[in-house]
Amino acid sequence: MLNIYLADLTGLEDFYDEKVNILHQERAEKLSAYKMSADRIRGLGAGLLLEKGLEDYLGICLPKDENGRCIIRYGYGPQGKPYFKDYTDIHFSLSHSGNMAVLAISDAEVGIDVQEDRGYSEKIAKRFYHAKEYKILEKAESVSECTKLFYQIWTGKEAYIKYTGKGMSQDLRSFSVDFTAGQIFSEGVAVATCQMVPLESDDHFCSVVFDKKIHKIDKIIKIHL
């Protein structure tokens, strides 16, 4: 099963102090390391979304500590990919950008990424895109189409390196995103499924990558924080 959870972070800054005091402890402590207030707000939103999404996925209320905070214990893989210590059969991936946070939860490996539209970057495309992906951009008939394709591919690539858990240590040119086929290809072999996530936003793009044994997204749920 694969569920996607979405949250609009607009206005969350007005409730920051209230919300951070009920956020699960480990994520709340990490927020203090962020220098920019916008990053703290996005981090807070992602943490709250994780709590609510996990409760929805499990169909239970998470246990609370003596201060009323949800108890979520993380473990980390060899390359830093987080997992739930208490729910080891559940996989998750978080992302935030602009005024949006997204969460994917599944019973198999998953990766998700959201990006705010900040314009097309040819420098990034030339440096990080597979030759097949760059050719897709070259065929775009307008700047707006090129920008859309750029972010669709970029979120797909980011989602895939979260899916593998290798992060930026993985060469982004070593694989290609093909939304027509709905697959990630490495050396000509399909290695994972990819899908764009529909958003109620014209200035954000989102993609999810998941194990081939999962055939579809089961639910896309908007969460109010």
Side-chain angles (χ1 to χ4, degrees):
M1 184 167 70
L2 170 60
N3 287 1
I4 307 293
Y5 299 92
L6 315 173
D8 185 345
L9 308 183
T10 304
L12 187 59
E13 64 273 14
D14 296 333
F15 303 95
Y16 183 86
D17 292 337
E18 173 189 342
K19 297 290 187 180
V20 78
N21 287 327
I22 62 171
L23 184 65
H24 55 282
Q25 190 68 42
E26 184 171 339
R27 186 164 289 271
E29 290 173 353
K30 286 183 177 180
L31 296 184
S32 61
Y34 295 146
K35 295 181 179 179
M36 302 292 291
S37 61
D39 292 332
R40 289 195 293 271
I41 292 164
R42 283 190 283 266
L44 171 63
L48 295 171
L49 180 62
L50 181 62
E51 291 179 7
K52 295 191 176 187
L54 181 57
E55 286 187 329
D56 178 83
Y57 190 88
L58 293 171
I60 62 171
C61 290
L62 294 173
K64 302 286 198 301
D65 65 15
E66 64 275 12
N67 297 313
R69 297 175 183 266
C70 289
I71 297 174
I72 299 178
R73 300 191 307 144
Y74 297 104
Y76 297 90
Q79 293 172 298
K81 185 174 183 178
Y83 62 88
F84 298 125
K85 281 187 174 181
D86 298 314
Y87 313 101
T88 54
D89 56 340
I90 296 177
H91 303 263
F92 76 98
S93 181
L94 269 171
S95 181
H96 51 75
S97 181
N99 63 352
M100 182 167 290
V102 298
L103 166 69
I105 302 184
S106 176
D107 54 3
E109 291 290 355
V110 66
I112 196 167
D113 187 64
V114 64
Q115 294 290 330
E116 183 181 28
D117 182 356
R118 295 179 180 141
Y120 169 61
S121 173
E122 186 174 4
K123 181 179 180 180
I124 289 177
K126 284 185 174 180
R127 182 177 178 184
F128 296 111
Y129 282 30
H130 189 281
K132 290 182 179 179
E133 296 167 336
Y134 193 75
K135 285 181 180 179
I136 292 173
L137 298 179
E138 289 183 314
K139 293 179 181 178
E141 297 181 354
S142 66
V143 174
S144 61
E145 181 186 2
C146 185
T147 301
K148 179 180 179 180
L149 291 169
F150 170 79
Y151 279 102
Q152 287 174 348
I153 294 169
W154 184 251
T155 55
K157 295 178 87 64
E158 288 275 1
Y160 180 64
I161 63 176
K162 291 180 180 180
Y163 164 85
T164 63
K166 295 180 179 179
M168 293 302 290
S169 67
Q170 188 165 359
D171 184 356
L172 295 180
R173 295 168 296 181
S174 66
F175 63 91
S176 61
V177 179
D178 186 339
F179 282 111
T180 301
Q183 301 287 337
I184 303 291
F185 288 94
S186 179
E187 298 182 352
V189 177
V191 292
T193 300
C194 63
Q195 188 172 328
M196 287 177 281
V197 179
L199 303 175
E200 295 177 1
S201 171
D202 295 328
D203 55 1
H204 289 77
F205 297 88
C206 182
S207 297
V208 61
V209 172
F210 46 95
D211 192 282
K212 291 189 291 183
K213 71 181 182 182
I214 299 176
H215 302 294
K216 63 182 179 66
I217 298 172
D218 291 282
K219 295 179 182 179
I220 299 177
I221 303 166
K222 189 172 182 179
I223 298 286
H224 177 68
L225 303 179

